[in-house]
Amino acid sequence: MIYKDVIIIGGGPAGLCAAKILADQDVSVLLVDRDHHLGGQLVKQTHKFFGSEKQYAKNRGFEIAKILINDINDKPNIEILLGATVAGIYKDHVITVVKEERYLKYKAKAFIIATGASEKALAFENNDLPGIYGAGAIQTLMNLYGIVPEDEVLMVGSGNIGLIVSYQLLQAGVKVKGIVEAASIIGGYKVHASKLKRLGVPFYMQHTIKRAIGKDHLEAVEIVKLTDDFKELENETSIIKTKALCIAVGLSPLSQLLGMMEVAMKYIKELGGRVPVLNNLNQTSNPNIFACGDVSGIEEASSAMMNGYIAGLGALKHLEHPHPNHDELIKMYHHELEILRHSSYGEKTLAGLKKLGGGPYAN
Ligand SMILES: Cc1cc2nc3c(=O)[nH]c(=O)nc-3n(C[C@H](O)[C@H](O)[C@H](O)COP(=O)(O)OP(=O)(O)OC[C@H]3O[C@@H](n4cnc5c(N)ncnc54)[C@H](O)[C@@H]3O)c2cc1C
């Protein structure tokens, strides 16, 4: 058994920012990620970020990852364990980590869960045909390995991920055959949607995928028009020829580890699924467990960073070793979150957080 003061599970923007707060403090930290590199989703994001300088706005996602990784690398109090999946977390404050077919056990006084999210799937006939991808897979192929999936792609989902990945496909010389969206309004930022419209990408609003067509590989899809209450209009279907389909229909918090610790959680649609109830230090109903980033509600990388800092500060306070600037920093990061959440995308998050409860008065 290896002992640490704090274990951070997940090295995306949320986990990295939590680690940044703990760096150089008198606490021992383990940062563990199942991937073979740190950065989480940021490493595949090639577009420039919005926000303020506190979120490294105007930098590209992978550049922000490099900055954050640089800030915590070589810190004597932080051990980084990569290619290591946390398979379980137990009531005696022990985690099991699977690394290279070996099981390792760690025990800590506080845990920061920053495991991010998984992509939602879409149910339709033949949805397992080769040529059907999730947006994360396409971003990884193109932006990490320089491989385009096909020379044409039809996108499903007009949220920011669908819009950004469509733009990245166009930049890579791939024809975007259109964007299929079940809702009547575009979910992502208008600025991204306008760019795509100017480049001639058609939007099929109030449509969904009925079936994928092809024998050994995708050749076309049948789309169907939807009513305002998302019922299929049987006679209003059309066929779009495409070699690839990209599904970008939202994310679900990867909150299974929180579930194992039986912390108070609620299903909140606006936050993507089952999320923990947190106080203003991002502490769950179990005082030893903190959560931040997409696992505590789907937002964006910028808010994941702010929430990571808050969880780091919360863990230090819990260990009775508060950061020298605790009050000032907590106030500042909550203020930054307020600003981010009062932008157009934040409406949904604010509605979700209201339903979830928690906040300063939770504990
Ligand atoms: C496909 C996709 C595209 C996106 N595009 C954008 C975008 O363009 N702009 C934007 O602002 N946001 C985007 N987002 C959202 C944004 O990336 C996230 O909001 C942000 O990365 C969340 O940060 P996080 O640290 O919570 O999670 P992540 O960045 O997902 O990091 C979580 C980390 O936890 C690790 N992990 C998970 N489970 C375990 C486990 N059991 N054991 C060990 N490690 C584990 C994962 O390997 C990962 O490295 C996108 C998300 C996705 C999925």
Side-chain angles (χ1 to χ4, degrees):
M1 181 89 72
I2 305 162
Y3 292 87
K4 295 281 173 186
D5 291 317
V6 186
I7 294 180
I8 305 170
I9 307 172
L16 285 171
C17 287
K20 219 176 124 174
I21 289 287
L22 298 168
D24 299 325
Q25 301 296 314
D26 191 17
V27 289
S28 59
V29 179
L30 174 74
L31 172 58
V32 50
D33 200 296
R34 64 184 176 185
D35 236 322
H36 292 274
H37 51 76
L38 291 170
Q41 299 295 333
L42 280 179
V43 298
K44 51 181 106 138
Q45 290 164 16
T46 52
H47 59 283
K48 290 187 180 169
F49 273 61
F50 299 139
S52 78
E53 62 185 30
K54 302 262 173 357
Q55 294 98 40
Y56 307 100
K58 301 202 175 90
N59 282 288
R60 298 178 193 278
F62 69 90
E63 292 167 340
I64 299 176
K66 276 190 195 155
I67 297 171
L68 295 176
I69 294 166
N70 239 347
D71 287 342
I72 60 140
N73 251 343
D74 303 326
K75 294 289 176 189
N77 68 324
I78 301 184
E79 181 190 339
I80 299 169
L81 193 65
L82 296 177
T85 303
V86 177
I89 179 166
Y90 310 101
K91 297 254 166 70
D92 53 357
H93 305 148
V94 171
I95 58 166
T96 314
V97 182
V98 187
K99 185 171 165 67
E100 289 154 7
E101 296 181 16
R102 284 177 59 223
Y103 284 84
L104 309 169
K105 275 188 173 184
Y106 286 85
K107 188 167 175 135
K109 295 176 191 151
F111 293 89
I112 298 177
I113 314 286
T115 43
S118 62
E119 288 180 86
K120 288 186 174 157
L122 199 60
F124 54 86
E125 191 181 321
N126 269 344
N127 71 355
D128 58 351
L129 261 186
I132 302 176
Y133 298 80
I138 288 199
Q139 272 195 326
T140 305
L141 275 178
M142 283 200 311
N143 302 343
L144 279 187
Y145 302 113
I147 298 166
V148 290
E150 291 287 350
D151 56 9
E152 55 178 20
V153 173
L154 178 70
M155 180 66 63
V156 191
S158 74
N160 276 327
I161 297 178
L163 298 179
I164 289 169
V165 174
S166 295
Y167 191 66
Q168 291 171 350
L169 283 161
L170 288 174
Q171 284 177 313
V174 176
K175 183 173 173 59
V176 177
K177 305 233 34 183
I179 299 184
V180 177
E181 168 58 58
S184 56
I185 47 167
I186 290 170
Y189 289 131
K190 285 206 175 62
V191 57
H192 296 319
S194 306
K195 262 196 297 199
L196 292 166
K197 283 183 181 168
R198 277 199 302 277
L199 291 165
V201 175
F203 281 70
Y204 299 95
M205 302 306 292
Q206 291 193 282
H207 278 82
T208 191
I209 308 294
K210 195 164 175 62
R211 66 187 170 111
I213 303 164
K215 198 164 164 273
D216 302 317
H217 194 279
L218 185 71
E219 289 164 24
V221 294
E222 184 177 1
I223 63 168
V224 58
K225 175 107 176 120
L226 299 172
T227 61
D228 287 345
D229 53 354
F230 301 100
K231 297 226 166 61
E232 293 186 5
L233 291 163
E234 286 301 324
N235 298 326
E236 292 196 41
T237 61
S238 44
I239 304 283
I240 300 176
K241 280 193 168 182
T242 183
K243 291 180 204 154
L245 184 70
C246 176
I247 316 260
V249 293
L251 304 172
S252 298
L254 274 173
S255 55
Q256 292 86 343
L257 293 174
L258 291 165
M260 287 182 84
M261 289 304 283
E262 293 180 3
V263 306
M265 294 212 267
K266 285 187 193 165
Y267 179 86
I268 307 286
K269 188 168 170 265
E270 291 83 349
L271 299 178
R274 258 169 73 73
V275 288
V277 180
L278 301 175
N279 70 7
N280 66 335
L281 296 178
N282 284 348
Q283 191 172 30
T284 67
S285 58
N286 178 330
N288 304 90
I289 312 280
F290 295 76
C292 51
D294 278 357
V295 73
S296 53
I298 307 300
E299 290 190 65
E300 292 197 341
S302 349
S303 20
M305 287 186 245
M306 300 303 104
N307 270 316
Y309 291 132
I310 293 170
L313 290 164
L316 279 177
K317 187 146 194 234
H318 174 66
L319 295 175
E320 294 181 355
H321 187 87
H323 192 283
N325 305 320
H326 177 91
D327 291 344
E328 182 195 323
L329 291 177
I330 283 284
K331 211 167 142 197
M332 180 177 83
Y333 295 130
H334 275 293
H335 177 67
E336 288 292 321
L337 274 178
E338 278 277 296
I339 298 172
L340 289 168
R341 288 171 177 165
H342 281 89
S343 69
S344 56
Y345 100 88
E347 257 172 51
K348 202 164 128 193
T349 305
L350 287 174
L353 290 172
K354 199 168 165 198
K355 282 190 197 168
L356 178 64
Y361 310 110
N363 282 3

